[in-house]
Amino acid sequence: MKKGEGVYNVIVIGAGTAGLVTAAGTAGLGGRVALIERHLMGGDCLNFGCVPSKALISSARLIRQIRESEKWGLDRQEPQFVFEKVFERMRARRAKLAPNDSQNRFESLGVDVFRGEARFVSPREIEIHGSPSPQSSPWQGEADASAPGEGRRLCARNFVIASGSHPAIPEIQGIDSVPYFTNETIFDGLKRKPENMIVLGGGPIGCELAQAFCRLGTQVTLIQRGDQILPKEDRDVAEFIERRLSNEGVRIIKNANVRAATTTDQGKIAVEFLDRPSTPLAERTLFADAFLVAIGRTPNLHGLDLKSAGVEVNESGVRVNDYLQTSRGHIYAVGDVTGPFLFTHMADAQARVVVRNILMPFQFLRQKMDYSVVPWCTYTDPEVAHVALGEKEARQKNVDYDLFVVPLKDVDRAVVESEESGFAKILTAKGSDKILGATIVAPHAGDLLHEFVLAMKTGVGLGTIASTIHAYPTFAELARKAGDKYNRTRLTPFAKKFFTWLYERARR
Ligand SMILES: Cc1cc2nc3c(=O)[nH]c(=O)nc-3n(C[C@H](O)[C@H](O)[C@H](O)COP(=O)(O)OP(=O)(O)OC[C@H]3O[C@@H](n4cnc5c(N)ncnc54)[C@H](O)[C@@H]3O)c2cc1C
């Protein structure tokens, strides 16, 4: 059948991670699938999210290490680098990954790709409109104009809304008149090094980029509305990262509400705070060359005309049930547009469940989305990786737990690497080795976490981790040491007395 004609098994709206995984999975199983993208193939993760941010962070980490070269017995030195070249390298790394998400690749997998904005005209039909955004980019290396979709109508049995999210913009007086950056513009729109920068928002994106820009030589001020950066983490974890950022030179202002933003005659951006009567701010107005807004995300619902499809929304986006079905059973939603976890790996995991659920002819064969073991990582240096329960959440939920803390300085590899600043916190169910959650603050914490993730998923306890041989010297010994700590709690005074008696007996 010709592209666009007849009935598709699945029409996927949005070619970010959620949409790409859905489309590839469906086509791989033999389904007829159409994928519609209004802007760039790869969505946020490839173009303005994970990939460029982590590439930048990688250069920034090396710059920091060179600055601290004495830690490794080298002479003190200043890193030699050109800011613009670091950005060029970031874009080149992104270009290296772009073909994986390209239109050509997906068409070679058997997916019909259309470029334009999808809008529901009924629960079974969508219409494609031209998009105001550019449809190809230098790093995507392909002319995507080959698939004009303007005005075209497509029909399908099932639909998957994978339209993602965009940066939330605060309601600050004058915000529209200042040239602020978001994650969608900073990686390609920033043309030279700003001497100083205000980062609004102390969540993962704000913290990661604040540290990276500071290491690249920009004076960074991070503004957080609440009293804790990284608010999802336990307070001790967030305070550790706050100290680290401050020590590196990031100025952090908490409990601060921005009232207005303006551009001065000198071309600076002025950010004015609301008064804070309890602890007055030292300065009511800050000035900077660049202003980065990173306060959160808003689901992409605009333009979809969900009403025509009868799809309901709530405050976090498209409302779905446990099977990721919307209020219309044949229409699913995955990724940032529905939440509850806005991560690439969550978009991927949800998409896999949806591919299976669409294939299943009956509801009882469909799979529920399981959010019990969801890891995440904030790529500050050191990284903060987390899975399931932290102490804060355990207390909120009245869960009884035992806590095992392993400082990184107890891990020999961390010491020989001069990287012993950090720790791991493991929560187990009170009196047992059942792991309830883990947080690791360490270099490569995101990689180290997965021993706990797999253990939780498969019901392996901390005792089993302790009895697993870990190569020496590795950072992974962190997990074994947590297991050892658990085992020591099992040595009751009675058991110890008994063992002492056994030893005494053996000496007779
Ligand atoms: C700076 C930054 C760093 C991040 N770092 C990480 C990280 O390290 N690890 C991690 O796991 N997550 C990270 N994330 C989050 C991650 O990028 C998102 O969770 C992920 O991209 C969500 O994928 P998605 O497919 O749901 O949405 P998106 O990637 O946003 O894709 C949605 C696509 O749908 C298209 N679209 C929208 N509406 C329509 C329409 N009507 N018609 C056609 N197309 C449409 C959009 O153009 C877009 O391409 C980061 C995010 C940011 C902003």
Side-chain angles (χ1 to χ4, degrees):
M1 198 170 293
K2 267 190 168 172
K3 183 174 174 179
E5 288 179 358
V7 179
Y8 281 95
N9 290 105
V10 185
I11 291 178
V12 183
I13 301 173
T17 304
L20 292 173
V21 174
T22 311
T26 306
L29 294 174
R32 186 165 183 250
V33 55
L35 174 66
I36 304 154
E37 172 53 53
R38 70 176 177 192
H39 192 19
L40 299 176
M41 296 291 288
D44 260 22
C45 180
L46 171 68
N47 300 294
F48 336 103
C50 332
V51 170
S53 61
K54 269 80 248 182
L56 205 59
I57 286 167
S58 164
S59 299
R61 188 189 314 117
L62 182 58
I63 288 169
R64 173 72 182 171
Q65 282 176 336
I66 295 170
R67 277 203 189 106
E68 293 188 338
S69 53
E70 284 168 305
K71 259 171 69 175
W72 287 275
L74 276 63
D75 290 344
R76 189 193 185 94
Q77 50 196 295
E78 265 307 301
Q80 303 294 312
F81 69 96
V82 176
F83 184 86
E84 290 78 4
K85 280 195 187 163
V86 171
F87 267 62
E88 270 169 34
R89 179 241 174 220
M90 171 266 289
R91 293 182 196 117
R93 292 284 100 188
R94 179 176 60 185
K96 214 169 164 75
L97 292 176
N100 298 340
D101 294 355
S102 67
Q103 182 168 340
N104 287 344
R105 167 145 188 269
F106 275 74
E107 285 181 340
S108 76
L109 296 176
V111 176
D112 285 352
V113 180
F114 296 85
R115 308 306 288 261
E117 187 165 64
R119 179 162 64 84
F120 281 97
V121 286
S122 77
R124 300 268 172 201
E125 206 178 8
I126 57 115
E127 194 168 75
I128 305 173
H129 291 270
S131 164
S133 336
Q135 296 188 349
S136 64
S137 64
W139 63 93
Q140 299 219 323
E142 57 181 14
D144 281 318
S146 58
E150 181 66 39
R152 189 158 207 168
R153 287 193 173 201
L154 303 179
C155 300
R157 287 265 165 255
N158 291 100
F159 294 80
V160 178
I161 304 169
S163 54
S165 65
H166 61 274
I169 305 303
E171 287 181 11
I172 298 171
Q173 190 184 313
I175 187 80
D176 291 334
S177 63
V178 297
Y180 64 84
F181 289 100
T182 66
N183 70 292
E184 289 181 354
T185 51
I186 192 105
F187 300 112
D188 297 283
L190 186 68
K191 298 299 175 208
R192 67 192 71 83
K193 187 183 101 180
E195 284 312 311
N196 32 53
M197 174 186 270
I198 295 170
V199 176
L200 189 64
I205 298 173
C207 287
E208 287 179 7
L209 292 179
Q211 187 181 42
F213 275 99
C214 177
R215 290 174 167 194
L216 290 169
T218 296
Q219 283 181 355
V220 179
T221 304
L222 180 74
I223 301 172
Q224 170 71 334
R225 199 163 57 164
D227 67 351
Q228 181 184 321
I229 62 165
L230 300 179
K232 276 192 179 172
E233 306 295 344
D234 285 345
R235 190 169 282 278
D236 56 343
V237 170
E239 283 175 356
F240 184 96
I241 295 299
E242 183 178 336
R243 274 195 304 278
R244 179 67 174 252
L245 294 187
S246 300
N247 289 343
E248 288 191 19
V250 177
R251 181 180 177 201
I252 298 176
I253 304 178
K254 294 184 293 185
N255 298 309
N257 268 312
V258 174
R259 195 187 75 80
T262 48
T263 312
T264 67
D265 294 343
Q266 293 75 37
K268 291 248 178 203
I269 293 161
V271 170
E272 192 189 319
F273 296 100
L274 278 175
D275 200 11
R276 199 174 58 179
S278 48
T279 42
L281 291 160
E283 292 154 83
R284 285 283 298 281
T285 307
L286 291 180
F287 299 91
D289 298 329
F291 183 30
L292 173 65
V293 174
I295 59 160
R297 313 285 305 167
T298 306
N300 287 333
L301 302 173
H302 184 75
L304 287 166
D305 198 357
L306 294 176
K307 265 204 181 126
S308 296
V311 170
E312 290 171 12
V313 298
N314 58 22
E315 60 290 341
S316 49
V318 176
R319 187 170 68 76
V320 292
N321 63 13
D322 292 345
Y323 303 92
L324 299 170
Q325 289 163 311
T326 67
S327 45
R328 289 281 185 166
H330 69 292
I331 303 178
Y332 291 76
V334 283
D336 279 15
V337 75
T338 181
F341 295 95
L342 308 196
F343 301 119
T344 294
H345 47 279
M346 182 48 69
D348 179 299
Q350 289 179 327
R352 286 162 195 253
V353 167
V354 160
V355 169
R356 176 198 156 117
N357 286 354
I358 286 176
L359 189 60
M360 293 298 141
F362 306 111
Q363 192 74 351
F364 74 91
L365 292 173
R366 297 196 171 113
Q367 187 185 334
K368 286 186 179 178
M369 192 62 211
D370 175 7
Y371 296 113
S372 57
V373 185
V374 178
W376 69 69
C377 183
T378 299
Y379 297 85
T380 45
D381 182 10
E383 293 177 0
V384 178
H386 177 95
V387 60
L389 276 193
E391 277 195 278
K392 183 162 60 179
E393 197 183 344
R395 276 191 228 109
Q396 279 163 1
K397 292 183 171 166
N398 283 325
V399 177
D400 274 346
Y401 62 88
D402 288 321
L403 175 67
F404 300 96
V405 179
V406 183
L408 216 51
K409 63 180 171 45
D410 290 357
V411 178
D412 290 3
R413 178 64 181 271
V415 175
V416 297
E417 294 285 343
S418 299
E419 297 276 19
E420 66 265 42
S421 162
F423 56 92
K425 291 172 75 175
I426 318 301
L427 272 69
T428 56
K430 187 108 197 129
S432 108
D433 76 339
K434 183 177 182 234
I435 302 167
L436 299 177
T439 305
I440 305 178
V441 183
H444 308 291
D447 295 290
L448 294 173
L449 186 74
H450 286 83
E451 184 164 354
F452 295 107
V453 176
L454 185 62
M456 289 186 72
K457 188 82 187 159
T458 53
V460 167
L462 214 45
T464 308
I465 290 183
S467 64
T468 304
I469 301 172
H470 287 65
Y472 178 87
T474 55
F475 278 91
E477 282 195 293
L478 197 72
R480 207 215 62 233
K481 282 179 183 285
D484 289 345
K485 287 204 167 185
Y486 162 74
N487 276 345
R488 280 198 286 278
T489 63
R490 293 169 66 204
L491 190 64
T492 59
F494 174 77
K496 192 157 183 202
K497 237 178 177 172
F498 177 64
F499 293 150
T500 309
W501 175 78
L502 276 181
Y503 280 126
E504 274 173 13
R505 192 170 167 275
R507 289 199 303 271
R508 270 183 224 144

